[in-house]
Amino acid sequence: MAHQKYLDSPDFQKMVSTRNSIVAILTVLTLITYFGFIFLMAYGKETLSAKISENITIGLPIGVAVIVISWILTFTYANWANKKYDQMVEDIKGKVGG
Amino acid sequence: MTTQFGEPNPIAIFFFLLFVAGTLVITYWAAKRTKTTKDFYSAGRSITAGQNGMAIAGDYMSAASFLGIAGMVSLSGFDGLIYAIGFLVGWPIVMFLIAEPLRNLGKYTFSDVVAYRLRSGPVKTAAAVSAVTVVIMYLIPQMVGAGTLITLLLGLQYEVAVVLVGTLMMAYVLFGGMISTTWVQIIKAGLLLSGSTILCILTLSKFGFNLDQFFGAAVQKVNNLTNTTDGFKMLQPGKLLANPLGTVSLGIALMFGTAGLPHILMRFYTVPDVKAARNSVTYGTAWIGYFYVLTFIMGFGAAALVGQDVITGIDAKGNMAAPLLAQAIGGPVFLGFISAVAFATILAVVAGLTLAGAAAFSHDLYAGVFKKGKSTEEEEMKVAKIATVAFGIIAVVLGMVFKGQNVAFMVGLAFAIAASANFPAILMSVFWKKFSTSGAVVAIWSGLLSSVILIVLGPTVWVDILGNATPIFPLGNPAIISMPLAFISGILVSLLAPEAEAREKYEEKKVRLYMGVGAEQ
């Protein structure tokens, strides 16, 4: 079976575990960022209401920060996958498949 | 301030006709290229990452976000952020967990991925029912919104507007399939993003681009209107999110619902390979995040320059805040442009929804379950076209039936079902070896039924619509219960009734999952 060659290859196993770890870390970071904000909205109203200027509360930059962090996490993954992951896949195809 | 709402606005009609003419030309061009089911469902996998990113943004920025969030911000201020942010943070989740496995393992729909190593019949049936439910729940508010919006903005009759939207959307999908649907989304996204950008720049320029003055003007306007000093509450978390647990539940639905919306997930099959699928999420996330920052500025802009009294005078929920702001800033010409953009927004979203609903019927139920994958290309295409017409008619009828009803809760319900029925099943099928056919079926049905039942027993339906005194289920959004329920029931059933074949096939398909070997071309 063609797939068995891959499954038995240490390179393939390493690639799978690398990808799963990166995905797990980034997912957890996203969840912490978002639910941290949600819990602040739900239970930390005073914290978010602190003024940073006459008419702006700290909640605004925090909200924008959640959007920016979501961008950064998404771009981080895409950048890693485009540069590293695709290369690993090609290497394994060449080594095991060929 | 006087408004021109409810009368025919010649500029809006001009821009609208221009949009319709342009999209129909594209549909004519697309029709000549739509020959196979692959063309019809996935645009022949010929869409580039940049184009698909824009189309994703187009599919996702519905009228609910453009008009709804801007309106909510104009009336409730800071609380509107939970929607704006919740709609965005689903995208990193789609990127990390869903987009690439979906592209590598599936063909046209998300149920392909849930069923890829399980018994197709029961899994695809459950997934298709759930997909159609989500699509219809999403479709109703769009149709009702279209009718109301066009009545207000173009001065047409409600029924005429609903039939017009239904007919145009049917024309796009029936003749041009995914190719014309994609281009309608791209054009609409371009119009919406540029129109909103201009609106925000002009708004902020009134305050010398000084944010403190900008927010201060909104606060001052609320103070003046209410004769209180409550204006500053606009910048604090407040009464919209009075129930903390309800806030968390809504957050769960918004975040994970994105990763289970059938019309969004379908977009990942329109690109040639997994790399393009991944990069299209990057582009889409960038546009969507930018757009939600704009809705926030538009909302506060409307509160400052239009005033909450005028906004609620036109529409109690605040849905006309963005068009009103356009009028206050750019007069009838800009109002006309923004109105046409709002209409284009609805039209594009209903086209995407109809295509996803038709695919659930023709690809999942007819070809996958009824014909067990043995139907011919011509047969499946014919069923897809019949299903498109059926969906168009259903959409128009539902638009008429729900005229004047409070349907805003249905978008929340669509997200709750998507988060509870679709997302857990996709995730477990892709990442958990021991997931079984019975586990998938139970997860989908329990997520679907529990979210529907809890929303009926909750405050929006049980109290506001059915007129009972107190809700049986206290939260407006059921996701905090229904999503864990789907995961737990799916896990328990999979463990209690193990399926050796599903585990073997998981190993077999691992190479395809991680390396794209054998993925649909």
Side-chain angles (χ1 to χ4, degrees):
Chain A
M1 298 285 263
H3 66 268
Q4 201 58 43
K5 267 197 312 189
Y6 286 103
L7 294 179
D8 293 339
S9 137
D11 292 321
F12 179 79
Q13 290 161 5
K14 185 168 165 271
M15 177 185 76
V16 168
S17 72
T18 309
R19 181 179 191 275
N20 288 351
S21 317
I22 287 187
V23 160
I25 292 167
L26 290 171
T27 303
V28 169
L29 288 176
T30 309
L31 294 177
I32 291 174
T33 309
Y34 177 55
F35 285 100
F37 180 72
I38 294 286
F39 276 97
L40 266 182
M41 289 257 303
Y43 298 100
K45 292 188 175 162
E46 283 72 31
T47 317
L48 286 176
S49 303
K51 280 189 184 189
I52 54 167
S53 77
E54 184 59 32
N55 294 303
I56 298 178
T57 52
I58 186 86
L60 289 185
I62 291 181
V64 173
V66 175
I67 293 183
V68 173
I69 292 171
S70 306
W71 273 337
I72 293 172
L73 292 173
T74 309
F75 300 162
T76 305
Y77 177 79
N79 196 37
W80 170 78
N82 286 336
K83 288 198 173 124
K84 298 273 170 62
Y85 187 74
D86 288 350
Q87 191 56 50
M88 284 199 272
V89 169
E90 284 313 307
D91 290 348
I92 292 172
K93 274 184 192 165
K95 213 165 143 186
V96 182
Chain B
M1 193 177 116
T2 58
T3 59
Q4 287 104 12
F5 284 74
E7 292 154 38
N9 176 331
I11 295 139
I13 293 171
F14 168 76
F15 282 122
F16 174 67
L17 288 178
L18 205 64
F19 176 80
V20 170
T23 48
L24 286 178
V25 169
I26 286 171
T27 304
Y28 176 76
W29 166 82
K32 289 194 284 188
R33 280 158 185 77
T34 304
K35 296 197 174 71
T36 62
T37 48
K38 189 165 121 178
D39 301 326
F40 186 76
Y41 296 129
S42 67
R45 311 205 198 281
S46 62
I47 307 296
T48 67
Q51 290 164 353
N52 197 40
M54 196 74 168
I56 285 173
D59 239 334
Y60 199 62
M61 300 180 297
S62 66
S65 28
F66 175 47
L67 302 172
I69 294 182
M72 207 180 300
V73 172
S74 75
L75 300 182
S76 307
F78 191 82
D79 288 352
L81 258 188
I82 195 175
Y83 282 91
I85 291 176
F87 281 133
L88 178 72
V89 290
W91 284 99
I93 297 296
V94 171
M95 175 66 126
F96 308 146
L97 302 176
I98 304 292
E100 295 176 77
L102 205 75
R103 180 63 187 84
N104 273 343
L105 294 174
K107 197 173 183 188
Y108 300 130
T109 62
F110 81 88
S111 38
D112 287 341
V113 178
V114 183
Y116 82 101
R117 64 188 172 100
L118 305 173
R119 277 179 285 122
S120 206
V123 174
K124 284 200 166 179
T125 307
V129 171
S130 162
V132 169
T133 313
V134 172
V135 164
I136 287 187
M137 289 300 150
Y138 214 107
L139 204 51
I140 292 173
Q142 304 292 332
M143 293 304 287
V144 174
T148 319
L149 187 72
I150 295 164
T151 311
L152 277 174
L153 298 178
L154 302 184
L156 288 174
Q157 243 192 317
Y158 180 92
E159 285 76 10
V160 177
V162 167
V163 172
L164 188 66
V165 170
T167 313
L168 278 170
M169 155 262 268
M170 235 190 289
Y172 297 150
V173 179
L174 195 59
F175 300 114
M178 185 54 105
I179 302 179
S180 71
T181 304
T182 301
W183 283 99
V184 170
Q185 305 288 15
I186 292 174
I187 295 172
K188 162 258 171 112
L191 286 173
L192 185 55
L193 286 165
S194 51
S196 307
T197 302
I198 298 169
L199 186 53
C200 286
I201 290 176
L202 292 176
T203 303
L204 290 176
S205 74
K206 300 249 175 203
F207 304 94
F209 296 95
N210 178 328
L211 287 178
D212 193 68
Q213 274 184 30
F214 170 65
F215 289 111
V219 170
Q220 196 54 49
K221 181 91 178 181
V222 176
N223 284 346
N224 294 345
L225 286 173
T226 54
N227 265 323
T228 59
T229 52
D230 286 349
F232 193 68
K233 289 190 178 155
M234 290 282 285
L235 288 136
Q236 302 170 328
K239 59 176 185 326
L240 189 68
L241 307 168
N243 182 338
L245 211 56
T247 309
V248 177
S249 191
L250 174 67
I252 292 175
L254 295 179
M255 180 176 220
F256 298 108
T258 305
L261 292 176
H263 63 300
I264 297 287
L265 298 180
M266 209 174 164
R267 295 229 56 89
F268 295 116
Y269 298 115
T270 65
V271 291
D273 55 27
V274 71
K275 192 185 176 93
R278 169 200 306 150
N279 291 332
S280 60
V281 183
T282 310
Y283 292 117
T285 308
W287 290 123
I288 292 166
Y290 169 68
F291 176 71
Y292 285 126
V293 173
L294 296 184
T295 57
F296 202 68
I297 297 173
M298 288 189 273
F300 270 97
L305 296 172
V306 181
Q308 293 177 340
D309 54 335
V310 180
I311 296 171
T312 49
I314 300 276
D315 178 276
K317 290 259 169 198
N319 282 326
M320 289 302 125
L324 280 166
L325 177 65
Q327 193 196 3
I329 286 204
V333 175
F334 203 37
L335 171 68
F337 177 67
I338 290 292
S339 304
V341 169
F343 194 13
T345 292
I346 293 183
L347 207 45
V349 171
V350 291
L353 286 167
T354 301
L355 184 53
F361 261 110
S362 53
H363 180 65
D364 297 340
L365 284 181
Y366 173 78
V369 179
F370 184 63
K371 287 280 184 175
K372 299 187 170 56
K374 299 208 165 40
S375 55
T376 64
E377 183 75 26
E378 289 74 31
E379 284 171 336
E380 189 176 337
M381 191 72 159
K382 200 173 145 199
V383 176
K385 298 217 157 174
I386 295 171
T388 304
V389 175
F391 257 93
I393 295 170
I394 291 171
V396 170
V397 170
L398 289 174
M400 306 268 188
V401 169
F402 284 91
K403 178 186 179 181
Q405 303 279 318
N406 176 6
V407 289
F409 74 95
M410 286 185 180
V411 174
L413 180 56
F415 271 82
I417 298 174
S420 311
N422 303 348
F423 172 71
I426 300 171
L427 194 73
M428 288 192 279
S429 191
V430 170
F431 289 101
W432 190 42
K433 188 178 169 180
K434 292 178 180 168
F435 198 47
S436 72
T437 302
S438 343
V441 171
V442 170
I444 293 174
W445 282 112
S446 65
L448 175 61
L449 292 176
S450 63
S451 40
V452 172
I453 291 170
L454 290 179
I455 214 147
V456 170
L457 299 178
T460 21
V461 175
W462 195 253
V463 178
D464 295 353
I465 293 177
L466 298 176
N468 294 293
T470 47
I472 296 176
F473 179 71
L475 306 178
N477 199 294
I480 198 169
I481 304 286
S482 54
M483 190 176 96
L485 187 73
F487 272 112
I488 292 166
S489 62
I491 291 169
L492 282 182
V493 171
S494 298
L495 291 178
L496 288 174
E499 188 179 343
E501 207 185 324
R503 297 181 185 188
E504 274 165 37
K505 276 197 192 154
Y506 182 77
E507 289 296 317
E508 218 178 288
K509 296 282 174 127
K510 226 172 164 178
V511 180
R512 177 167 170 174
L513 167 62
Y514 284 96
M515 313 215 317
V517 176
E520 294 285 340
Q521 298 289 309

